[in-house]
Amino acid sequence: MQKNLCIFKPQELEMMINGIPFVDVKDWELNTYYRGNYTKDSSVIRWFWKIVREMSQEDLSRLLKFCTGSSRTPVDGFR
C-alpha cells in the first residue's frame, strides 16, 4: 500500500515557484532601500509612493515586473 507523500497542494507549489499575485505596496515601500542622495523622505520618493499607492493591482504587477523582472510578489514578501 503506497501512501500519498504530497507535501504541497498544487496551488501552494505554484505560489512557492511563481510568488504571490497580490502586490502589497506598504510592504514594498517599507522594504525598499535607497542609494545616493535619496531617502524615504526625499520629495521624489514621496511622490513616487503616493502615485504607486493609487495604482490598481494590474498596474502594480506591471510596475513590479518592470522593476524586478517578475510580476508577482516573492512568497516571503519584499524583505
Side-chain angles (χ1 to χ4, degrees), residues 11-65:
Q11 299 87 351
E12 293 172 329
L13 183 58
E14 178 186 13
M15 189 172 67
M16 295 286 288
I17 293 170
N18 295 329
I20 300 169
F22 175 79
V23 179
D24 183 346
V25 175
K26 191 174 194 177
D27 182 43
W28 191 1
E29 183 177 2
L30 289 172
N31 289 289
T32 298
Y33 297 96
Y34 304 97
R35 289 192 258 177
N37 294 325
Y38 294 105
T39 69
K40 66 180 181 133
D41 297 317
S42 299
S43 298
V44 172
I45 301 300
R46 287 196 323 263
W47 293 334
F48 173 79
W49 289 115
K50 181 182 182 306
I51 292 166
V52 170
R53 283 190 291 273
E54 295 171 358
M55 293 175 134
S56 68
Q57 280 296 310
E58 184 178 338
D59 288 338
L60 287 169
S61 290
R62 289 180 180 140
L63 177 63
L64 186 60
K65 178 141 183 140

